[in-house]
Structures are given as C-alpha cells and as structure tokens.
Amino acid sequence: MSEPKLEANFSMLTMSIASSAAMSMGLAPNPQTNETQKDKDMARFNIDLLIMLQEKTKNNLNDEEKRFLDSVVTDLQMKFLQM
C-alpha cells in the first residue's frame, strides 16, 4: 500500500512553519535527531514568518484558513511568552 500523497495547500504551509517554531521552542523533537532543543531566535523568526503571512494574505483567505492561521499564531505566541 502506498502512502497518501501530501497535498500542497495553505494549511500545510502554515503547519510546516508552525512545526519549525514548536521545535525551536523545545515543544517537539527534531525528527532527524529525535532531540529537543531551544532556539529562541529561530522560534521568533518562525512566528514572525506566520505573522507576515497573516498580513500578506489579509482578505485573501477563506474563513476557515483565516481562523486556522489566527489560532496557530496566537497559540505559538502564548507558548513563546511562557518559554
């Protein structure tokens, strides 16, 4: 049985950047090393990327995409402050 094909869409892009932020905050292990590391600058960079994406896509996302992106950014910002 073959693996399902990954679909390139807005949610996947958002999750990819969010996963990088989570790994940088030590919330998830690096899949290549299986180790957790904290890199505050990289976490901030990834969150800033998502904020820039919010700004650049303003009025161009459907309601579901906007809610998802807003939720991810808010969640990551709260976790960053707790870091």
Side-chain angles (χ1 to χ4, degrees):
M1 184 164 35
S2 64
E3 291 186 30
K5 184 179 178 215
L6 289 177
E7 183 183 340
N9 59 36
F10 189 78
S11 294
M12 288 299 291
L13 174 62
T14 302
M15 284 309 300
S16 177
I17 299 169
S19 294
S20 294
M23 280 189 287
S24 298
M25 287 190 278
L27 300 173
N30 181 323
Q32 294 164 335
T33 64
N34 212 25
E35 295 177 5
T36 56
Q37 301 168 307
K38 288 189 181 182
D39 183 339
K40 199 169 188 173
D41 291 333
M42 187 54 73
R44 181 181 292 120
F45 172 77
N46 283 295
I47 293 168
D48 288 347
L49 273 179
L50 288 169
I51 292 168
M52 182 268 310
L53 198 59
Q54 270 181 320
E55 293 167 3
K56 295 291 184 182
T57 59
K58 195 171 196 147
N59 299 321
N60 288 311
L61 300 176
N62 65 38
D63 289 343
E64 184 179 329
E65 291 167 333
K66 182 182 181 330
R67 274 193 306 273
F68 181 66
L69 180 57
D70 291 349
S71 170
V72 168
V73 169
T74 301
D75 185 53
L76 288 171
Q77 287 175 321
M78 296 302 287
K79 288 179 174 150
F80 184 83
L81 289 174
Q82 294 169 359
M83 192 172 143

